[in-house]
Amino acid sequence: MNNEIVLHDLTFVPYISSKKLDEHVKNVAQKINEAYKNQAVVLVPILNGSFLFAADLVRYLTVPCEVEFVKVQSYEGTESTGTVRELIGLKEEHIRKKIILVEDIVDTGNTLTQLKTQLINAGAEHVVCASLLFKPNAYKYSTPPEFIGIEIPNHFVVGYGLDYDGLGRNLPDLYVLKPNS
Ligand code: XMP
Ligand code: MG
């Protein structure tokens, strides 16, 4: 089929169109606008995956907002801590504000949970998450992200910021791994 795409060794098929994605982005923005009204927030998009979602989301926001992109540095901790994830790039002044972490996708929730804990330990009083995609069947914690665009099954997806080994972030639509590929 000619709308399949190949990234490295894997084949992906169209999953969610850019038009549909835009509706979900708008929906997340509306929920944030209603929840915060005139309260100032700082959006903290987690690079690299969330760069497109964040860029589209902020244009639908009417609340007073700052935007501060961060990176996550991951390294292997002890056997009991497993992979340790640390936020790089957040300034002290932002920790005191209402923080909305912006994620492209929340899967097991390990990344989000570690980052939230880290921010709270650093003195943050308000940390929530807006994620475009959420895999409820993979999620290991009791509290899901506060603002979710779309729930999807445990499929590997690329496009709209998400990558397979560095490729696919530029695709306007979301693609899913072709079954049995
Ligand atoms: P956890 O499990 O910590 O994972 O919630 C979050 C991170 O895992 C990556 N991830 C994906 N990346 N397609 C991707 O391109 C996917 O289907 C997918 N599922 C998880 C992503 O980096 C995310 O921030
Ligand atoms: Mg990510």
Side-chain angles (χ1 to χ4, degrees):
M1 254 186 19
N2 58 8
N3 51 5
E4 291 181 355
I5 52 147
V6 178
L7 302 173
H8 300 294
D9 55 331
L10 296 180
T11 304
F12 294 82
V13 293
Y15 187 44
I16 302 173
S17 69
S18 58
K19 194 164 171 277
K20 265 268 163 243
L21 289 173
D22 185 58
E23 286 171 25
H24 292 292
V25 174
K26 214 180 276 179
N27 207 267
V28 173
Q30 265 163 12
K31 286 189 259 185
I32 293 175
N33 288 336
E34 279 162 26
Y36 293 93
K37 300 236 165 61
N38 293 324
Q39 300 176 68
V41 295
V42 53
L43 289 200
V44 179
I46 299 169
L47 290 171
N48 294 324
S50 68
F51 76 110
L52 288 181
F53 173 44
D56 289 340
L57 180 70
V58 292
R59 281 178 278 192
Y60 290 125
L61 289 181
T62 52
V63 291
C65 71
E66 292 176 58
V67 185
E68 196 67 32
F69 282 84
V70 296
K71 273 229 161 215
V72 176
Q73 190 174 59
S74 301
Y75 55 90
E76 286 311 308
T78 62
E79 215 164 277
S80 62
T81 50
T83 305
V84 178
R85 298 162 181 87
E86 261 181 54
L87 266 185
I88 307 291
L90 200 62
K91 299 190 192 97
E92 185 61 41
E93 66 193 82
H94 294 120
I95 295 191
R96 290 187 299 273
K97 300 188 174 163
K98 290 188 194 303
I99 296 172
I100 304 180
L101 292 170
V102 179
E103 270 283 26
D104 48 350
I105 188 162
V106 172
D107 194 289
T108 62
N110 288 337
T111 306
L112 177 62
T113 304
Q114 287 193 10
L115 299 183
K116 265 190 171 178
T117 306
Q118 196 189 320
L119 287 167
I120 285 161
N121 289 343
E125 283 178 13
H126 185 98
V127 186
V128 298
C129 174
S131 184
L132 178 64
L133 301 158
F134 178 51
K135 294 182 179 174
N137 298 332
Y139 196 67
K140 299 196 301 191
Y141 300 87
S142 51
T143 317
E146 287 75 6
F147 304 99
I148 293 166
I150 326 162
E151 291 191 355
I152 61 167
N154 272 356
H155 296 145
F156 188 75
V157 293
V158 295
Y160 195 67
L162 293 105
D163 72 308
Y164 167 51
D165 204 8
L167 294 182
R169 295 194 198 277
N170 56 311
L171 298 163
D173 301 321
L174 202 68
Y175 288 73
V176 66
L177 188 60
K178 188 181 178 180
N180 308 316
S181 68

